[in-house]
Structures are given as structure tokens and as C-alpha cells.
Amino acid sequence: MNVIHEKPSLYAARSIQQYLDCKLTLYAICRYSKEIPDAYERLLLDAIEGERRLFIRSDELDAAWALFTPVLKELEEKNVIPEYYPYGSRGPVGAHYLAARYNVRWGDLSIEQ
């Protein structure tokens, strides 16, 4: 089976995508002679090159702290313990009760309304 994918590179042009048609294999090291860039290497290069879509602005960060600091402070003062839930589940049971209280539904893939 063949697939088409973007050529891995630190310096892939953002306006010109380079695609390869190759045989499907899950072993990238067998396909490429060069080292494939680590995600952090790519992220740092994007930062150096001024790619802003991947990063938060300082005013957004300030707004986030202004929103969440009071919530975190209250959770700490009231010694709220997080509700644990099994890995791979749909989340804590309490979240579903909270959503039902406000008539909110999420993650329901059924067509019936």
C-alpha cells in the first residue's frame, strides 16, 4: 500500500509543501537517511523564524492567568480534591452530573436529540 505524506524536514517551506509517495511502513528510520527532527527542535526553529500561530501572546497569557488564578486559589483554599477517572474513559462522573444540571451535552455521538 502506498501513501502520500509531507517530507520531514526542519526547513520545509511553509508555502510550498513537499510531498512524497512511498510504500506504507511504520519504520521511518528505514525510509530516510537523515535524522528526522524532534518535535521540540521544530518548535524552537519555528520560534526563531517568527512563526506566531503556534505560540500564545503575552496579553492572552495575562488574560488566562486573570481568569484561572481566582479559581485555583479557591480550589486550594477549599482543599478540593480532583475527581479521578479511569484512563480511556469519558471523564469523571461528576462532570456528567454538572453538565446535566445545566442541560449541556457533549461527546454524545447519537443522532437522536
Side-chain angles (χ1 to χ4, degrees):
M1 172 187 257
N2 282 11
V3 294
I4 296 176
H5 65 91
E6 186 176 351
K7 181 179 180 182
S9 169
L10 277 175
Y11 301 100
R14 291 191 177 44
S15 59
I16 301 171
Q17 297 294 331
Q18 297 177 342
Y19 295 102
L20 299 174
D21 182 11
C22 67
K23 187 172 183 174
L24 177 62
T25 176
L26 300 178
Y27 300 104
I29 196 162
C30 297
R31 176 71 172 95
Y32 305 105
S33 58
K34 296 182 187 177
E35 182 179 341
I36 296 174
D38 178 78
Y40 290 110
E41 291 173 356
R42 181 63 192 241
L43 187 65
L44 287 172
L45 183 63
D46 286 339
I48 291 167
E49 291 179 345
E51 175 58 66
R52 296 173 185 230
R53 294 176 294 170
L54 303 173
F55 303 94
I56 189 168
R57 295 189 326 252
S58 61
D59 60 327
E60 293 174 307
L61 183 60
D62 291 342
W65 277 113
L67 178 70
F68 286 105
T69 299
V71 174
L72 295 171
K73 184 177 180 184
E74 185 172 340
L75 290 173
E76 188 175 287
E77 288 172 356
K78 293 183 177 180
N79 202 22
V80 175
I81 299 172
E83 184 178 345
Y84 294 102
Y85 54 94
Y87 173 79
S89 71
R90 296 183 66 127
V93 174
H96 298 282
Y97 288 121
L98 178 65
R101 186 181 331 158
Y102 294 98
N103 199 26
V104 172
R105 292 172 46 178
W106 78 90
D108 187 359
L109 302 176
S110 66
I111 296 175
E112 296 178 26
Q113 293 293 333

